[in-house]
Amino acid sequence: MGINPDFIGNIEKGTRILLLDGVTVSFDGFKALNSLSLTIDYKELRCIIGANGAGKSTMMDVITGKTKPDSGQVVFGKAVDLLELDEPQIAELGIGRKFQKPTVFSNHTIFENLELSMQDDKRFFKTLFAKLKSFQKDKIEETMKLIGLHEHAFKKAGTLSHGQKQWLEIGMLIMQNPKIMLVDEPVAGMTPHEVEKTGEILRELSNEHSVVVVEHDMEFIRSLASRVTVLHEGSVLAEGSMQNIQNNEKVRKVYLGE
Ligand SMILES: Nc1ncnc2c1ncn2[C@@H]1O[C@H](COP(=O)(O)OP(=O)(O)O)[C@@H](O)[C@H]1O
Ligand SMILES: [Mg+2]
């Protein structure tokens, strides 16, 4: 796509992969994001919390290029200006998003769903009848193990439980090998056992990718033991460990009315 690799830079664990600086998004004068600034490190697991309307989805829209801000900077890697790129270009660069509602191909097997996500060529039949290379097969196998669906490889996706569909969709995202994975409310509607398993999957994923999770479920966030960013009225109210956040005076004021 013609991005100078120097602009991406040498991305290593612990170095910054994403910067939002002073990002403002207005809808009819209302600021959904109000000079939002935050950074995400490579191979970091980060939770974003905040009440309804805090700006979480708008933030994801800005990162993925769906919404262009009125002002501010969004930088990927060392110096790739995401504001100059459109949605497909940003996806190609390695920023993937999983929406809340699973959108798997019900009439295809788990294996095929993963296979279809891997291919650049999205033409169904061409993809399904093309011969897989062994490294591609390995990647599918490895991903099925990671998302715990290995034993269901040849089951149709439509027969999976809600939780399993969510995992499959995480798997479909993995197949695109993104550097940053944005995951919106992954445990909504899951059983406690599924919630626990999802935490394991996300933690494991953060060994290979930066994972940004938007979530309401406090127990779940606590179990992830990651850095937490609290959004409030379109900016960062607090950031730190969950314990830090719970003891934060501003957070307590806003959320507990203290
Ligand atoms: N396309 C839009 N047009 C007008 N207002 C919007 C639009 N998208 C979001 N908003 C408003 O921006 C604020 C932030 O929304 P959102 O980012 O969806 O919050 P969250 O995901 O944290 O619940 C809300 O008040 C919402 O009503
Ligand atoms: Mg939202």
Side-chain angles (χ1 to χ4, degrees):
M1 154 177 73
I3 287 191
N4 182 340
D6 287 347
F7 288 180
I8 298 178
N10 196 4
I11 300 173
E12 289 168 6
K13 188 170 162 62
T15 60
R16 188 190 82 200
I17 190 168
L18 186 70
L19 163 76
L20 275 72
D21 188 17
V23 171
T24 296
V25 172
S26 308
F27 295 112
D28 302 320
F30 170 78
K31 288 182 176 167
L33 296 183
N34 188 1
S35 197
L36 173 67
S37 299
L38 62 88
T39 63
I40 304 290
D41 285 345
Y42 190 45
K43 302 194 182 181
E44 172 183 7
L45 176 57
R46 174 73 63 88
C47 289
I48 310 280
I49 61 174
N52 257 338
K56 304 180 297 292
S57 297
T58 306
M59 181 195 80
M60 298 245 201
D61 291 344
V62 166
I63 297 169
T64 56
K66 186 171 169 222
T67 299
K68 293 295 175 192
D70 307 323
S71 55
Q73 268 196 318
V74 184
V75 179
F76 175 81
K78 205 167 147 204
V80 178
D81 181 357
L82 291 187
L83 300 184
E84 286 182 358
L85 305 179
D86 62 19
E87 268 188 284
Q89 288 172 321
I90 291 173
E92 197 181 327
L93 199 57
I95 300 183
R97 178 179 194 174
K98 187 202 154 318
F99 288 93
Q100 218 170 318
K101 206 166 162 271
T103 50
V104 299
F105 302 110
S106 302
N107 290 321
H108 286 279
T109 65
I110 313 303
F111 191 98
E112 287 165 347
N113 268 273
L114 294 173
E115 184 181 349
L116 286 163
S117 320
M118 178 176 55
Q119 308 288 341
D120 294 332
D121 191 336
K122 291 281 189 276
R123 276 171 294 175
F124 245 61
F125 291 105
K126 180 150 189 264
T127 300
L128 283 180
F129 293 118
K131 206 163 156 35
L132 279 177
K133 299 188 178 69
S134 78
F135 80 89
Q136 294 176 312
K137 245 190 202 140
D138 290 350
K139 174 80 182 168
I140 295 175
E141 295 281 335
E142 191 187 299
T143 302
M144 285 194 301
K145 278 190 192 140
L146 200 159
I147 59 177
L149 295 178
H150 196 242
E151 283 158 25
H152 307 295
F154 301 108
K155 250 196 193 174
K156 290 211 164 141
T159 67
L160 296 176
S161 73
H162 168 74
Q164 290 173 322
K165 281 183 191 158
Q166 297 279 357
W167 300 335
L168 176 56
E169 197 159 87
I170 290 174
M172 290 163 75
L173 197 52
I174 298 171
M175 296 311 294
Q176 293 155 31
N177 220 1
K179 295 196 175 60
I180 305 178
M181 298 177 68
L182 306 171
V183 189
D184 209 347
E185 297 196 29
V187 301
M190 282 189 179
T191 66
H193 177 72
E194 288 173 335
V195 171
E196 194 184 323
K197 171 81 191 161
T198 304
E200 286 166 21
I201 293 173
L202 294 175
R203 265 198 305 268
E204 172 136 11
L205 276 178
S206 65
N207 292 325
E208 295 296 327
H209 316 257
S210 304
V211 182
V212 180
V213 185
V214 165
E215 194 44 74
H216 289 290
D217 185 321
M218 288 297 167
E219 273 314 308
F220 176 66
I221 293 170
R222 200 169 291 121
S223 77
L224 286 180
S226 74
R227 199 173 177 76
V228 178
T229 300
V230 185
L231 288 195
H232 178 60
E233 295 176 353
S235 16
V236 174
L237 182 69
E239 197 169 277
S241 68
M242 192 61 190
Q243 198 182 353
N244 243 302
I245 294 294
Q246 281 173 312
N247 295 328
N248 183 293
E249 234 174 80
K250 284 189 281 181
V251 175
R252 298 181 77 89
K253 225 181 206 145
V254 167
Y255 285 94
L256 307 170
E258 289 180 359

